[in-house]
Coordinates of all heavy atoms in Angstrom, one line a residue:
M1 N 0.8 -1.2 0.0 CA 0.0 0.0 0.0 C 0.9 1.2 0.0 O 1.9 1.3 0.7 CB -0.9 0.0 1.2 CG -1.9 1.1 1.3 SD -3.0 0.9 2.7 CE -4.5 1.4 1.9
K2 N 0.5 2.2 -0.8 CA 1.3 3.4 -0.9 C 1.1 4.3 0.2 O 0.0 4.3 0.8 CB 1.0 4.2 -2.2 CG 1.4 3.5 -3.5 CD 1.1 4.4 -4.7 CE 1.7 3.8 -5.9 NZ 1.4 4.6 -7.1
K3 N 2.1 5.1 0.6 CA 1.9 6.1 1.6 C 1.0 7.2 1.2 O 0.9 7.4 0.0 CB 3.3 6.6 2.0 CG 4.2 5.6 2.6 CD 5.5 6.3 3.0 CE 6.5 5.3 3.5 NZ 7.8 5.9 3.8
Y4 N 0.5 8.0 2.1 CA -0.4 9.1 1.8 C 0.2 10.0 0.8 O -0.3 10.4 -0.2 CB -0.8 9.9 3.0 CG -1.8 9.1 3.9 CD1 -1.4 8.6 5.1 CD2 -3.1 9.0 3.5 CE1 -2.4 7.9 5.9 CE2 -4.1 8.4 4.3 CZ -3.7 7.8 5.5 OH -4.6 7.2 6.2
E5 N 1.5 10.4 1.1 CA 2.1 11.4 0.2 C 2.4 10.8 -1.2 O 2.4 11.6 -2.2 CB 3.4 12.0 0.8 CG 4.5 11.0 1.3 CD 4.3 10.4 2.7 OE1 3.4 10.6 3.4 OE2 5.2 9.6 3.0
E6 N 2.5 9.5 -1.4 CA 2.7 8.9 -2.7 C 1.4 8.9 -3.5 O 1.4 8.9 -4.7 CB 3.2 7.5 -2.5 CG 4.6 7.4 -2.0 CD 5.1 6.0 -1.8 OE1 5.0 5.2 -2.7 OE2 5.5 5.7 -0.7
R7 N 0.3 8.9 -2.8 CA -1.0 8.9 -3.4 C -1.6 10.3 -3.6 O -2.6 10.5 -4.2 CB -2.1 8.1 -2.6 CG -1.8 6.6 -2.5 CD -2.8 5.9 -1.8 NE -2.8 6.2 -0.4 CZ -3.7 5.7 0.5 NH1 -4.6 4.8 0.1 NH2 -3.6 6.0 1.7
G8 N -0.8 11.3 -3.2 CA -1.2 12.7 -3.3 C -2.3 13.1 -2.3 O -2.9 14.1 -2.5
E9 N -2.4 12.4 -1.2 CA -3.4 12.7 -0.2 C -2.7 13.6 0.9 O -1.5 13.3 1.2 CB -4.0 11.5 0.4 CG -4.8 10.7 -0.5 CD -5.4 9.4 0.1 OE1 -5.6 9.4 1.3 OE2 -5.7 8.4 -0.6
P10 N -3.4 14.5 1.5 CA -2.8 15.3 2.5 C -2.5 14.5 3.8 O -3.3 13.5 4.1 CB -3.8 16.4 2.8 CG -5.1 15.8 2.4 CD -4.8 14.8 1.2
L11 N -1.4 14.8 4.4 CA -1.1 14.1 5.7 C -1.8 14.8 6.8 O -2.0 16.0 6.8 CB 0.4 14.2 5.9 CG 1.3 13.4 5.0 CD1 2.7 13.6 5.3 CD2 1.0 11.9 5.2
M12 N -2.3 14.0 7.8 CA -2.9 14.6 9.0 C -1.9 14.6 10.1 O -1.1 13.7 10.2 CB -4.1 13.8 9.4 CG -5.2 13.7 8.3 SD -6.7 13.0 9.0 CE -7.7 14.5 8.9
D13 N -1.9 15.7 10.8 CA -1.0 15.7 12.0 C -1.6 15.0 13.2 O -2.4 15.6 13.9 CB -0.7 17.2 12.3 CG 0.2 17.9 11.3 OD1 0.9 17.2 10.5 OD2 0.1 19.1 11.2
K14 N -1.2 13.8 13.3 CA -1.7 13.0 14.5 C -0.6 12.8 15.4 O 0.6 12.7 15.0 CB -2.3 11.7 14.1 CG -3.6 11.9 13.3 CD -4.3 10.5 13.3 CE -5.7 10.7 12.6 NZ -6.5 9.5 12.7
P15 N -0.9 12.8 16.7 CA 0.2 12.6 17.7 C 0.8 11.2 17.5 O 0.1 10.3 17.1 CB -0.4 12.7 19.0 CG -1.9 12.5 18.8 CD -2.1 12.9 17.4
D16 N 2.1 11.1 17.8 CA 2.7 9.8 17.8 C 2.4 9.0 19.1 O 3.0 9.3 20.1 CB 4.3 10.0 17.6 CG 5.0 8.7 17.5 OD1 4.3 7.6 17.4 OD2 6.2 8.7 17.4
L17 N 1.5 8.1 19.0 CA 1.1 7.4 20.2 C 2.2 6.5 20.8 O 2.2 6.2 21.9 CB -0.2 6.5 19.9 CG -1.4 7.3 19.5 CD1 -2.6 6.4 19.2 CD2 -1.8 8.3 20.6
K18 N 3.1 6.1 19.9 CA 4.2 5.3 20.4 C 5.2 6.2 21.3 O 5.9 5.7 22.1 CB 5.0 4.8 19.2 CG 4.2 3.7 18.5 CD 5.0 3.2 17.3 CE 4.2 2.2 16.6 NZ 4.9 1.7 15.4
K19 N 5.1 7.5 21.1 CA 6.0 8.4 21.8 C 5.6 8.4 23.3 O 6.5 8.4 24.2 CB 5.9 9.8 21.2 CG 6.9 10.8 21.8 CD 7.0 12.0 21.0 CE 6.1 13.1 21.5 NZ 6.2 14.4 20.8
D20 N 4.3 8.5 23.6 CA 3.9 8.6 25.0 C 2.6 7.7 25.1 O 1.5 8.3 25.3 CB 3.6 10.0 25.4 CG 3.4 10.1 26.9 OD1 3.6 9.1 27.6 OD2 2.9 11.2 27.3
P21 N 2.7 6.4 25.0 CA 1.5 5.6 25.2 C 1.0 5.5 26.6 O -0.1 5.1 26.9 CB 1.9 4.2 24.7 CG 3.4 4.2 24.9 CD 3.9 5.6 24.7
S22 N 1.9 5.9 27.5 CA 1.5 5.8 28.9 C 0.2 6.6 29.3 O -0.6 6.1 30.1 CB 2.7 6.2 29.8 OG 3.0 7.5 29.6
E23 N 0.1 7.8 28.8 CA -1.1 8.6 29.1 C -2.4 7.9 28.5 O -3.4 7.8 29.2 CB -1.0 10.0 28.6 CG -2.2 10.8 29.0 CD -2.2 12.3 28.6 OE1 -1.2 12.7 27.9 OE2 -3.1 13.0 29.0
V24 N -2.3 7.4 27.3 CA -3.4 6.8 26.6 C -3.7 5.5 27.4 O -4.9 5.3 27.7 CB -3.1 6.5 25.2 CG1 -4.2 5.6 24.6 CG2 -3.0 7.8 24.4
E25 N -2.7 4.7 27.7 CA -3.0 3.5 28.4 C -3.6 3.7 29.8 O -4.5 3.0 30.2 CB -1.7 2.7 28.6 CG -1.2 2.1 27.3 CD 0.2 1.5 27.4 OE1 0.9 1.6 28.5 OE2 0.7 0.9 26.4
K26 N -3.1 4.7 30.5 CA -3.6 5.1 31.8 C -5.1 5.5 31.7 O -5.9 5.0 32.5 CB -2.8 6.2 32.4 CG -3.2 6.7 33.7 CD -2.4 7.9 34.2 CE -3.1 8.5 35.4 NZ -2.8 9.9 35.5
L27 N -5.4 6.3 30.7 CA -6.8 6.8 30.6 C -7.7 5.6 30.2 O -8.8 5.5 30.8 CB -6.9 7.8 29.5 CG -6.2 9.2 29.9 CD1 -6.1 10.1 28.7 CD2 -7.0 9.9 31.0
V28 N -7.3 4.7 29.4 CA -8.1 3.6 29.0 C -8.3 2.7 30.2 O -9.5 2.2 30.4 CB -7.5 2.8 27.8 CG1 -8.2 1.5 27.5 CG2 -7.5 3.7 26.5
K29 N -7.3 2.4 30.9 CA -7.4 1.5 32.1 C -8.4 2.2 33.1 O -9.2 1.5 33.7 CB -6.1 1.3 32.8 CG -5.2 0.3 32.0 CD -3.9 0.1 32.7 CE -3.0 -0.8 31.9 NZ -1.7 -1.0 32.5
E30 N -8.3 3.5 33.3 CA -9.2 4.2 34.3 C -10.6 4.1 33.8 O -11.5 3.8 34.5 CB -8.7 5.6 34.4 CG -9.5 6.3 35.5 CD -9.1 7.8 35.7 OE1 -8.0 8.2 35.1 OE2 -9.7 8.5 36.5
K31 N -10.8 4.3 32.5 CA -12.1 4.2 31.9 C -12.8 2.9 32.1 O -13.9 2.7 32.5 CB -12.1 4.6 30.4 CG -13.4 4.6 29.7 CD -13.3 4.9 28.3 CE -14.6 4.8 27.6 NZ -14.6 5.2 26.2
V32 N -12.0 1.8 31.8 CA -12.5 0.5 31.9 C -12.8 0.2 33.4 O -13.9 -0.4 33.7 CB -11.5 -0.6 31.4 CG1 -11.8 -2.0 31.8 CG2 -11.3 -0.4 29.9
S33 N -12.0 0.6 34.3 CA -12.3 0.4 35.7 C -13.6 1.1 36.1 O -14.4 0.5 36.8 CB -11.1 0.9 36.5 OG -11.4 0.9 37.9
L34 N -13.8 2.3 35.7 CA -15.0 3.0 36.1 C -16.2 2.4 35.4 O -17.3 2.3 36.1 CB -14.9 4.5 35.6 CG -13.8 5.4 36.3 CD1 -13.6 6.7 35.6 CD2 -14.3 5.6 37.8
A35 N -16.1 2.0 34.2 CA -17.2 1.3 33.5 C -17.6 0.0 34.1 O -18.8 -0.3 34.3 CB -16.8 1.1 32.0
R36 N -16.6 -0.8 34.6 CA -16.9 -2.0 35.3 C -17.6 -1.7 36.6 O -18.6 -2.4 36.9 CB -15.6 -2.8 35.6 CG -15.1 -3.5 34.4 CD -13.9 -4.5 34.8 NE -13.6 -5.2 33.6 CZ -12.3 -5.4 33.2 NH1 -11.3 -4.9 33.9 NH2 -12.1 -6.1 32.1
K37 N -17.2 -0.7 37.3 CA -17.8 -0.3 38.5 C -19.3 0.0 38.3 O -20.2 -0.2 39.1 CB -17.1 0.9 39.2 CG -17.6 1.3 40.5 CD -16.7 2.4 41.1 CE -17.2 2.8 42.5 NZ -16.4 3.9 43.0
L38 N -19.6 0.7 37.2 CA -21.0 1.0 36.8 C -21.8 -0.1 36.2 O -23.0 0.0 36.0 CB -21.0 2.2 35.9 CG -20.5 3.6 36.5 CD1 -20.4 4.6 35.4 CD2 -21.3 4.0 37.6
G39 N -21.1 -1.2 35.9 CA -21.7 -2.3 35.2 C -22.0 -2.2 33.8 O -22.9 -2.8 33.2
I40 N -21.2 -1.3 33.1 CA -21.4 -1.1 31.7 C -20.2 -1.5 30.8 O -20.1 -1.1 29.7 CB -21.8 0.4 31.4 CG1 -20.7 1.3 31.9 CG2 -23.1 0.8 32.0 CD1 -20.9 2.8 31.5
W41 N -19.4 -2.4 31.4 CA -18.3 -2.9 30.6 C -18.5 -4.4 30.5 O -18.9 -5.1 31.4 CB -17.0 -2.6 31.3 CG -15.8 -3.0 30.4 CD1 -15.0 -4.1 30.5 CD2 -15.3 -2.2 29.4 NE1 -14.0 -4.1 29.6 CE2 -14.2 -2.9 28.9 CE3 -15.6 -1.0 28.8 CZ2 -13.4 -2.4 27.8 CZ3 -14.8 -0.5 27.8 CH2 -13.7 -1.2 27.3
E42 N -18.2 -5.0 29.3 CA -18.3 -6.4 29.0 C -19.8 -6.7 28.9 O -20.5 -6.4 27.9 CB -17.6 -7.3 29.9 CG -16.1 -7.1 29.8 CD -15.2 -7.9 30.7 OE1 -15.8 -8.4 31.8 OE2 -14.1 -8.1 30.5
S43 N -20.4 -7.3 30.0 CA -21.8 -7.5 30.0 C -22.5 -6.2 30.5 O -22.1 -5.6 31.4 CB -22.2 -8.7 30.9 OG -21.9 -8.4 32.2
F44 N -23.6 -5.9 29.8 CA -24.3 -4.6 30.2 C -25.3 -4.9 31.3 O -26.4 -5.4 31.0 CB -25.0 -4.0 29.0 CG -25.6 -2.7 29.2 CD1 -24.7 -1.6 29.3 CD2 -26.9 -2.5 29.4 CE1 -25.2 -0.3 29.5 CE2 -27.4 -1.2 29.6 CZ -26.6 -0.1 29.7
N45 N -24.9 -4.7 32.5 CA -25.8 -4.9 33.7 C -25.6 -3.6 34.6 O -24.9 -3.7 35.7 CB -25.4 -6.2 34.4 CG -26.3 -6.5 35.5 OD1 -27.4 -6.0 35.6 ND2 -25.9 -7.3 36.4
P46 N -26.1 -2.5 34.1 CA -25.7 -1.2 34.8 C -26.4 -1.1 36.2 O -27.5 -1.6 36.5 CB -26.3 -0.2 33.9 CG -27.4 -0.9 33.1 CD -27.0 -2.3 33.0
V47 N -25.6 -0.3 37.0 CA -26.2 0.1 38.3 C -27.3 1.1 38.0 O -27.3 1.8 37.0 CB -25.2 0.7 39.3 CG1 -24.1 -0.4 39.6 CG2 -24.6 1.9 38.7
E48 N -28.2 1.2 39.0 CA -29.4 2.1 38.8 C -28.9 3.5 38.6 O -28.0 4.0 39.4 CB -30.3 1.9 40.0 CG -31.6 2.7 39.8 CD -32.5 2.5 41.0 OE1 -32.5 1.4 41.6 OE2 -33.3 3.4 41.3
D49 N -29.5 4.2 37.7 CA -29.2 5.6 37.4 C -27.7 5.9 37.1 O -27.2 6.9 37.5 CB -29.7 6.4 38.6 CG -29.9 7.9 38.3 OD1 -30.3 8.2 37.1 OD2 -29.8 8.7 39.2
Y50 N -27.1 5.0 36.4 CA -25.6 5.1 36.2 C -25.2 6.4 35.5 O -24.1 6.9 35.7 CB -25.1 3.8 35.5 CG -25.4 3.8 34.0 CD1 -24.5 4.3 33.1 CD2 -26.6 3.2 33.6 CE1 -24.8 4.2 31.7 CE2 -26.9 3.1 32.3 CZ -26.0 3.6 31.3 OH -26.3 3.5 30.0
Q51 N -26.1 6.9 34.6 CA -25.8 8.1 33.8 C -25.6 9.3 34.7 O -24.9 10.3 34.3 CB -26.9 8.4 32.8 CG -27.1 7.3 31.7 CD -28.3 6.4 32.1 OE1 -28.6 6.2 33.2 NE2 -28.9 5.9 31.0
N52 N -26.1 9.3 35.9 CA -26.0 10.4 36.8 C -25.0 10.3 37.9 O -24.8 11.1 38.8 CB -27.4 10.7 37.4 CG -28.4 11.2 36.4 OD1 -28.1 11.9 35.5 ND2 -29.6 10.6 36.4
K53 N -24.2 9.2 37.8 CA -23.1 9.0 38.8 C -21.9 9.7 38.4 O -21.6 10.0 37.2 CB -22.8 7.5 38.8 CG -24.0 6.6 39.1 CD -24.3 6.5 40.6 CE -25.4 5.5 40.9 NZ -25.9 5.6 42.2
E54 N -21.1 10.0 39.4 CA -19.8 10.7 39.2 C -18.9 9.9 38.3 O -18.2 10.5 37.4 CB -19.1 11.0 40.5 CG -17.8 11.7 40.4 CD -17.8 13.1 39.8 OE1 -18.8 13.7 40.0 OE2 -16.8 13.4 39.2
E55 N -18.9 8.6 38.4 CA -18.0 7.8 37.6 C -18.3 8.0 36.1 O -17.4 8.0 35.2 CB -18.1 6.3 37.9 CG -17.5 6.0 39.3 CD -18.5 6.2 40.4 OE1 -19.6 6.7 40.2 OE2 -18.2 5.8 41.6
F56 N -19.6 8.1 35.8 CA -20.0 8.3 34.4 C -19.5 9.6 33.8 O -19.1 9.7 32.7 CB -21.5 8.2 34.2 CG -22.0 8.0 32.8 CD1 -21.9 6.8 32.1 CD2 -22.6 9.1 32.1 CE1 -22.3 6.7 30.8 CE2 -23.0 9.0 30.8 CZ -22.8 7.8 30.2
A57 N -19.6 10.7 34.7 CA -19.0 12.0 34.3 C -17.5 11.9 34.1 O -17.0 12.5 33.1 CB -19.3 13.0 35.4
Q58 N -16.8 11.1 34.9 CA -15.4 10.9 34.7 C -15.1 10.2 33.4 O -14.2 10.5 32.7 CB -14.8 10.1 35.8 CG -14.7 10.9 37.1 CD -14.2 10.0 38.3 OE1 -14.9 9.1 38.7 NE2 -13.0 10.2 38.7
I59 N -15.9 9.2 33.0 CA -15.8 8.5 31.7 C -15.9 9.5 30.6 O -15.1 9.4 29.6 CB -16.8 7.3 31.6 CG1 -16.4 6.2 32.6 CG2 -16.8 6.8 30.2 CD1 -17.4 5.1 32.7
T60 N -16.9 10.4 30.7 CA -17.1 11.4 29.6 C -15.9 12.3 29.5 O -15.4 12.6 28.4 CB -18.3 12.2 29.9 OG1 -19.5 11.3 30.0 CG2 -18.6 13.2 28.9
E61 N -15.3 12.7 30.6 CA -14.1 13.5 30.5 C -12.9 12.8 30.0 O -12.1 13.3 29.2 CB -13.7 14.1 31.9 CG -14.8 15.1 32.4 CD -14.9 16.3 31.5 OE1 -13.9 16.8 31.1 OE2 -16.1 16.6 31.2
I62 N -12.8 11.5 30.3 CA -11.7 10.7 29.8 C -11.9 10.5 28.3 O -10.9 10.7 27.5 CB -11.7 9.3 30.4 CG1 -11.2 9.4 31.9 CG2 -10.8 8.3 29.7 CD1 -11.4 8.1 32.7
D63 N -13.1 10.3 27.8 CA -13.3 10.2 26.4 C -12.9 11.5 25.7 O -12.3 11.5 24.6 CB -14.8 10.0 26.1 CG -15.2 8.5 26.4 OD1 -14.3 7.7 26.4 OD2 -16.4 8.3 26.5
K64 N -13.2 12.7 26.3 CA -12.8 14.0 25.7 C -11.3 14.1 25.6 O -10.8 14.5 24.5 CB -13.4 15.1 26.5 CG -14.9 15.3 26.4 CD -15.3 16.4 27.3 CE -16.8 16.6 27.3 NZ -17.3 17.6 28.3
R65 N -10.6 13.7 26.6 CA -9.1 13.7 26.6 C -8.5 12.8 25.6 O -7.6 13.1 24.9 CB -8.6 13.4 28.0 CG -7.1 13.5 28.1 CD -6.5 14.8 27.9 NE -5.1 14.8 27.9 CZ -4.3 15.4 27.0 NH1 -4.8 16.3 26.1 NH2 -3.0 15.3 27.1
L66 N -9.1 11.6 25.5 CA -8.6 10.6 24.5 C -8.8 11.1 23.1 O -8.0 11.0 22.3 CB -9.3 9.3 24.7 CG -8.8 8.4 25.9 CD1 -9.8 7.2 26.1 CD2 -7.4 8.0 25.8
S67 N -9.9 11.8 22.9 CA -10.2 12.3 21.6 C -9.2 13.4 21.2 O -8.7 13.4 20.1 CB -11.6 12.9 21.6 OG -11.9 13.5 20.3
V68 N -8.8 14.2 22.2 CA -7.8 15.3 21.9 C -6.5 14.6 21.6 O -5.8 15.0 20.7 CB -7.7 16.2 23.1 CG1 -6.5 17.1 23.0 CG2 -9.0 17.0 23.2
I69 N -6.1 13.6 22.4 CA -4.8 13.0 22.2 C -4.7 12.3 20.8 O -3.8 12.4 20.1 CB -4.5 11.9 23.3 CG1 -4.3 12.7 24.6 CG2 -3.3 11.1 23.0 CD1 -4.3 11.7 25.9
I70 N -5.8 11.5 20.5 CA -5.8 10.7 19.3 C -6.0 11.6 18.0 O -5.3 11.4 17.0 CB -6.8 9.6 19.4 CG1 -6.3 8.6 20.5 CG2 -6.9 8.9 18.1 CD1 -7.3 7.6 20.9
N71 N -7.0 12.5 18.1 CA -7.3 13.2 16.9 C -6.6 14.6 16.8 O -6.7 15.2 15.8 CB -8.8 13.5 16.9 CG -9.6 12.2 16.9 OD1 -9.3 11.3 16.1 ND2 -10.7 12.1 17.7
G72 N -6.0 15.0 17.9 CA -5.2 16.2 17.8 C -6.0 17.4 18.1 O -7.1 17.6 18.2

């Protein structure tokens, strides 16, 4: 497969995840831990009113941060 520049497509400036995977890994682990606590990871068996829990708000913030890291 040709590289983007060989096909005449513009390159996107994405962060090098290999450079600092520790932040991404840390955020993903935290997100999974919070989701398990709420019962929304693997099997969907949520705790009552999980959308209004602090852990769910934290998951939302983690998602925002991951989006910034990955998409720039």
Side-chain angles (χ1 to χ4, degrees):
M1 182 174 222
K2 290 184 176 181
K3 295 180 182 178
Y4 286 107
E5 54 277 359
E6 292 176 52
R7 291 186 290 182
E9 295 179 25
L11 292 175
M12 300 193 110
D13 291 336
K14 288 195 175 186
D16 184 3
L17 296 180
K18 291 179 183 175
K19 188 167 96 177
D20 188 16
S22 60
E23 183 177 7
V24 171
E25 289 172 355
K26 177 184 166 205
L27 290 170
V28 169
K29 285 179 184 179
E30 184 177 356
K31 178 180 176 176
V32 169
S33 175
L34 292 167
R36 280 190 176 131
K37 186 175 179 182
L38 294 175
I40 58 174
W41 189 261
E42 295 175 343
S43 63
F44 189 74
N45 188 18
V47 298
E48 187 176 331
D49 200 31
Y50 75 93
Q51 297 100 330
N52 296 317
K53 304 279 185 191
E54 177 62 30
E55 291 87 352
F56 193 76
Q58 288 177 288
I59 289 171
T60 302
E61 292 302 314
I62 290 170
D63 284 342
K64 289 177 186 176
R65 179 65 186 139
L66 286 170
S67 177
V68 168
I69 292 169
I70 293 168
N71 298 318

